[in-house]
Amino acid sequence: MLYTDNRQDKLKVTEKFIDKLSEVCSFTLKEEELDKEYQISLLFVDNDKIKEINKETRGINKETDVLSFPMLDYEDKKVYKNMYKGYEFDETYMDGNELVLGDMVLSLEKALEQSLEYNHSYEREVSYLIVHSILHLLGYDHMEDSEKIIMRKREEEILNKLEIIR
């Protein structure tokens, strides 16, 4: 289940928009072979608010597009497709039957700016950022080049299967 909270007023957030993002979330998790019900919270903000959160949580005093706050702990920070299949998570990570994956904070203002900069649709940019953030919630990272290659490849594979292209 995707829980959303809109705390910005620069771009309209419709039920259709939220339904599309829920579809992107579900598809991404299915592609990663997560076979559990899940919870993800998604907070929509503007550039000022994400800058504030970025400074508070990461010590970086600038706006960004999306922030991810995973709830799961990953021992070796290496995540592979299929690692969740049949895995029983400790009750620490469960809310009833749902696995609590974490929180995402998305600047819709930044997503719009980037869609114009990269010359693709706003829907494509927001979908990309959702896929990117979910992969972070699942333990993917891009701090090292080798990790970045793996993560970028998964992002593109998932978006291509969703037929969300540049």
Side-chain angles (χ1 to χ4, degrees):
M1 173 72 77
L2 178 66
Y3 297 94
T4 60
D5 186 3
N6 183 23
R7 296 197 187 166
Q8 58 82 51
D9 58 7
K10 297 191 187 309
L11 287 128
K12 189 170 184 175
V13 175
T14 65
E15 199 63 41
K16 183 178 175 184
F17 180 75
I18 291 171
D19 288 347
K20 179 64 179 177
L21 297 184
S22 292
E23 177 188 321
V24 170
C25 285
S26 294
F27 187 85
T28 301
L29 293 167
K30 188 171 145 187
E31 282 296 300
E32 287 297 304
E33 299 186 10
L34 181 73
D35 61 352
K36 305 213 172 307
E37 295 296 316
Y38 65 90
Q39 282 184 22
I40 295 174
S41 67
L42 172 57
L43 178 63
F44 300 117
V45 297
D46 60 22
N47 286 346
D48 290 338
K49 186 62 177 175
I50 206 161
K51 179 180 179 180
E52 179 185 317
I53 296 168
N54 203 19
K55 183 177 182 185
E56 287 174 12
T57 60
R58 299 175 62 221
I60 299 172
N61 191 23
K62 71 177 205 174
E63 63 197 39
T64 189
D65 46 18
V66 68
L67 293 168
S68 308
F69 300 98
M71 293 297 293
L72 302 178
D73 293 321
Y74 302 99
E75 291 177 20
D76 62 3
K77 287 301 212 185
K78 300 279 187 231
V79 175
Y80 301 98
K81 187 175 177 182
N82 201 19
M83 75 172 275
Y84 311 101
K85 198 163 194 154
Y87 186 82
E88 290 304 317
F89 288 90
D90 182 288
E91 67 183 32
T92 306
Y93 304 110
M94 301 298 291
D95 182 7
N97 291 330
E98 294 179 332
L99 178 62
V100 181
L101 291 174
D103 304 319
M104 302 184 293
V105 181
L106 176 62
S107 171
L108 295 179
E109 182 180 9
K110 188 65 153 175
L112 179 60
E113 291 169 6
Q114 289 178 175
S115 72
L116 297 170
E117 178 183 340
Y118 300 138
N119 198 30
H120 56 237
S121 72
Y122 174 66
E123 178 185 316
R124 197 271 182 208
E125 185 63 21
V126 172
S127 296
Y128 165 77
L129 293 172
I130 293 296
V131 171
H132 180 86
S133 190
I134 288 173
L135 292 179
H136 275 309
L137 296 182
L138 296 177
Y140 284 77
D141 209 345
H142 50 79
M143 297 306 284
E144 295 177 20
D145 286 342
S146 60
E147 295 172 332
K148 186 175 185 175
I149 290 167
I150 292 167
M151 189 168 180
R152 294 293 180 258
K153 182 178 181 213
R154 283 305 290 148
E155 291 163 352
E156 289 304 319
E157 288 170 350
I158 291 165
L159 289 168
N160 286 338
K161 286 183 179 182
L162 280 165
E163 298 180 358
I164 301 173
I165 55 174
R166 291 180 189 262

